[in-house]
Amino acid sequence: MALSLLVFERTESAGWTAATYALTSLPALLSGVLLTGLADRFPRRTVMIGCDLVRAVLVGLMALPGTPLPLLAGLLVLAQLAEAPFGASQGALMPAVLGERLYERGQRVIMITHQSGQLVGFAVGGVLVVWLGSHVSLGLNAVTFLISAALIRVGVKARPVDAGADARPKRMHTQVRSAAALIWSDPRLRSLVALGWLAGFIVLPEGLAAPFAEEAGASAASVGLLLAAHPTGMVLGAALLGRASVGDERRRQLLGPLAVGANLPLLVYWAGPGVGVALLVLLVSGICSAYQITAGATFVLLTPADQRGQALGLARSGLTAMQGIGVAAGGLAAQLSGSSALTIGGAGLVGTLCAIMVAVSWARARQTGAGTIPLRA
């Protein structure tokens, strides 16, 4: 938010502002494939601390007044490249910290915290930036990375690199090829990745929230409500699925039906609903989308410890790509059709059909126990 306001203040260009915002996610596509292997080559705590320190320096440079916009964009790309290896290291380290029995619960806590943080950030971030100014806000952002590095250094136990069957260091392309082959060779891993990538359909209402609100004759304030509805639903869904009465095996059985349930409500958009009905639709979709936690946790537990970083990186890069492609294709379709509601409804139809196919694939893979990697509860 600080960067968006800073760029708009200097250029008064919506295009440059949007391009800068896009740079906060696009580098993850590259680093997710090429850099997440660091989480398997070096101690994961070390990788996380290193990524935080790098980002603290880069964001600190971005906070300096008078930084040219091209340099600002370059620093932003470099800072975002560190996100993927940090996330892969964190995700791969979690089973070692919590144990496999508590791992999914930990992922649920992280998701609820993340979504709640986004809601609070959307609500007060703009006010904070206006109050402090873009440069001071970026400076504080740099400090948060230092705090994160310190917390990890003090609070996370140092653990050696996981040694697999072949503990020899691998070249980058070998790591990527090996992780891709691992995912492709196990039908369960393929199905879980596909379940995650269905988010490419579910994210479309967020990308078209503003034009849909305009078509519905609602105020600009309703855009914020539309953006908040789905994350709120995910928090509720995570709490419901996390109840003790819902066991791990039951949550895995529900992956397919919930994936269908996350897409199916979007068909209501074809009826041209008002903002109130759309909020309810997005809330229900968000509740069902909480299946992503179980899908991600199961994927990690099915992956050998020495390949988790790279495999997670590939899966997350694909997820980022699918979300970007979904929003871009949806925007083009809405432009051509002249209706955001019809476009979202169409995405709901295609997403539902894809979810049904993936659900069947996941059910078959679970029943046959395909692959050589055991799933431990």
Side-chain angles (χ1 to χ4, degrees):
M1 193 168 293
L3 279 172
S4 296
L5 290 175
L6 179 61
V7 172
F8 189 72
E9 288 171 1
R10 292 193 188 180
T11 65
E12 297 184 354
S13 167
W16 279 112
T17 303
T20 302
Y21 191 82
L23 286 177
T24 62
S25 60
L26 292 179
L29 294 175
L30 177 64
S31 60
V33 174
L34 300 180
L35 299 182
T36 49
L38 296 173
D40 297 326
R41 296 172 65 93
F42 303 99
R44 285 156 182 161
R45 186 185 75 157
T46 302
V47 174
M48 293 174 69
I49 293 174
C51 289
D52 271 339
L53 294 178
V54 167
R55 288 185 288 184
V57 172
L58 293 173
V59 176
L61 293 174
M62 291 163 58
L64 296 177
T67 304
L69 286 182
L71 178 58
L72 193 68
L75 292 171
L76 176 59
V77 169
L78 292 176
Q80 289 303 114
L81 287 176
E83 172 61 31
F86 180 96
S89 298
Q90 181 189 43
L93 189 59
M94 284 287 288
V97 174
L98 293 177
E100 294 182 356
R101 186 176 64 86
L102 296 177
Y103 171 65
E104 185 175 333
R105 300 182 192 179
Q107 288 295 93
R108 192 170 295 108
V109 171
I110 286 179
M111 193 282 292
I112 292 175
T113 304
H114 177 70
Q115 295 291 349
S116 300
Q118 281 193 320
L119 292 174
V120 173
F122 281 133
V124 304
V127 177
L128 186 65
V129 172
V130 171
W131 179 40
L132 296 176
S134 298
H135 296 292
V136 175
S137 298
L138 286 170
L140 289 178
N141 193 190
V143 172
T144 64
F145 287 114
L146 292 176
I147 295 174
S148 174
L151 288 174
I152 295 169
R153 176 65 177 81
V154 174
V156 179
K157 179 182 177 182
R159 292 171 172 81
V161 179
D162 290 308
D166 183 3
R168 293 174 299 175
K170 299 181 179 67
R171 294 187 176 183
M172 183 183 299
H173 67 87
T174 304
Q175 278 188 290
V176 174
R177 186 170 62 247
S178 177
L182 170 69
I183 295 172
W184 184 255
S185 66
D186 191 319
R188 292 173 298 176
L189 293 180
R190 291 203 310 267
S191 299
L192 290 167
V193 169
L195 284 167
W197 288 4
L198 289 171
F201 300 103
I202 302 169
V203 75
L204 185 56
E206 295 182 21
L208 296 178
F212 170 77
E214 183 179 355
E215 292 174 11
S219 65
S222 63
V223 176
L225 296 176
L226 290 169
L227 289 173
H230 194 271
T232 301
M234 285 197 71
V235 171
L236 292 175
L240 291 173
L241 286 175
R243 293 181 303 169
S245 58
V246 184
D248 291 342
E249 189 60 26
R250 181 58 177 162
R251 278 190 287 270
R252 294 178 188 126
Q253 292 174 352
L254 289 173
L255 285 178
L258 288 176
V260 175
N263 286 274
L264 188 61
L266 300 183
L267 293 175
V268 174
Y269 273 85
W270 266 347
V275 170
V277 174
L279 289 173
L280 180 60
V281 166
L282 294 175
L283 185 69
V284 173
S285 176
I287 291 174
C288 294
S289 295
Y291 81 86
Q292 295 272 6
I293 303 170
T294 299
T298 305
F299 177 87
V300 170
L301 295 179
L302 280 169
T303 307
D306 62 313
Q307 290 183 284
R308 281 174 179 166
Q310 185 68 68
L312 268 174
L314 290 178
R316 289 177 175 177
S317 294
L319 174 60
T320 301
M322 289 301 297
Q323 288 177 322
I325 292 171
V327 172
L332 179 60
Q335 184 74 25
L336 295 175
S337 67
S339 173
S340 298
L342 290 179
T343 300
I344 296 173
L349 175 61
V350 178
T352 299
L353 295 176
C354 291
I356 292 173
M357 291 188 290
V358 177
V360 172
S361 174
W362 167 244
R364 289 176 177 172
R366 285 186 64 253
Q367 290 173 358
T368 59
T372 59
I373 310 169
L375 178 60
R376 293 158 285 190

